Amino acid sequence: MSADAYVVLAADDAGALETLSRKIARRLAGAGWSRRVSHPFIAVYAPATSRLEIVAALDGHGVMVGEIFDHVGRSLSPEERGVVACRALDANRASDIVSTFWGRYVVVRRTSGDAAILRDPSGAVEAVAWRKDGVTVIAPTAPPALDCLLPDNLTIDWESMRGLLTRGGGYRHELALSALTPVASGALLHIGPAGVRSRQIWRPSEVYRRAREQVRPDLREVVDRSVRALAGERAWVVEVSGGLDSAIIAGALSDHQRARITQWVNHFVDDPEGDERAFARPVVERHGYRLTEVKRNGLNLSAARLALSADAFRPPVNDLDTDYNDDIAARVESSGAWGSLTGQGGDVVFFQMPSYLIAFDEVHERQLRTRPEVLHSAARWTGQSLWPNAWLKARRAHTRALRDRRHPWLDDLQGVPPAKATQILGLVNSQAFQGHAVRGRYGPCVNPLLSQPVMEAGLAWSSVDLTWGGRDRFAARAAYADAIPASIFNRRSKGELGAFYGEAVARNLDFLRSYLLEGELAAAGLLPQGLADETTREALVWQGGFARLVTLALTEAWLRRWQARIAAPRV
């Protein structure tokens, strides 16, 4: 179960909703779900453990799931959210909501012809839609209690399954399940008896293009406002890695909010390259708190553990580090925290990626006013020369990276220079951090640096200014120079856990080889060629590849679960 669990039923007519509700009521109640919204044409169910706020529209034809803020970071009251959900949800109204508010939300509005679904641009709350007996069903995941609501014609989409395994990137928008339609982050989806149509209301490329005509936002102000709004008055477990991004989260919280943190957690391994406690301790000690230090011992990659997150609509790539996620979930539950806060996404939003493409952006944006020092800085940072061959090599690599990536955010990159396009691709892949994982079981995992205002601020700044002088995340460092320890401000390295993960996976190698080579992916001919020869202890420890192997195992667990659910009668 997830702390962000819900299911919305938006009916074509009152009779269809009543019939379906009678059919599912006992099963949902037995699983601990209750009806949170009850109107003749729309109903919402959620488990007792759900952290999501659910508010019905004032007229009973819409609902808002989640939380929403105005531009100064004020949380809208339930009455105000009811007003937002009360108007017809067409493209103009959706654009107005997205430009006026932000948050972690899904808005659903039904009419006599279809249901309209708007998902906020951060993608913090998942939404997948389908049709069932004259009712549109919207849910973020499908725990067993919802089996009776799944469409009768649900099958594995093997072509999409193959695509998910062969295309790079951590996040894939499309589903490998037929009869289900995902709502993209920042998209408005209409679904009804006549079919499905989708319109992308928010795109990173449009944010960048508009920003060229405006004064760039103040990074510090935007991040502070967003972090503090999302943290609110709640208690949290905060992940402190020892890196810049989590230090910014700690620095952005107010004194009052820091006092409500139940644990500041750092995971470390028995290896100098993977032990970042010396960097993490000053982050919390400067505010008078103590770091909770958790020594890592390995990874639980049993079949039972892999299956814990297999009810997601996509293979749960966000559950890659099983023991880390289990530990955070346990700390959220035991400490009474509302959820966990992370700095994930900051590497992309603030531009950590060394890239010679920054030189291209300088030429693209300034043309005859190009500054030679920017080109030299990009060359030094990446170890490239200034000769044309280096430029061509970087551009070819960029073209390959974007090829065959399927996501609505990448459909329109006209006028976007290559380093900024790389940042947008990184934001697409960072959507994986918003995905289903065990650590969100007892409380949501909230990533403020992937909130809409922070993403928009990072997109508005040029890649050159974000990395001025050939320094990763320069603008973010400068903005928070007085709020983070000097050791992190000056740090140029990152922790390295490759050897730890390689050894941890290697200890599970016998299980993983049999689990994969004798599993459903193998039976379908979808395992990478030569996998049996490549999965050796030596290769994992010294050459890497552990992430691919665990991702395949999570995908195998997902495929087994969904094949069993599809084959079982849904009554």
Side-chain angles (χ1 to χ4, degrees), residues 168-245:
Y171 178 82
R172 290 89 166 181
H173 169 65
E174 67 187 280
L175 301 179
L177 293 168
S178 67
L180 305 178
T181 303
V183 184
S185 303
L188 174 65
L189 185 87
H190 287 266
I191 177 171
V196 178
R197 65 186 189 277
S198 179
R199 178 166 179 170
Q200 199 63 35
I201 302 299
W202 186 94
R203 279 193 179 94
S205 57
E206 292 176 358
V207 174
Y208 168 77
R209 287 190 291 261
R210 286 197 307 267
R212 306 311 301 157
E213 310 298 325
Q214 302 168 356
V215 176
R216 69 189 184 192
D218 182 319
L219 277 182
R220 176 73 175 265
E221 189 278 329
V222 172
V223 173
D224 279 359
R225 170 165 42 89
S226 303
V227 171
R228 291 174 184 180
L230 287 167
E233 296 296 312
R234 300 159 176 155
W236 296 91
V237 169
V238 177
E239 302 173 34
V240 185
S241 68
L244 176 66
D245 303 322

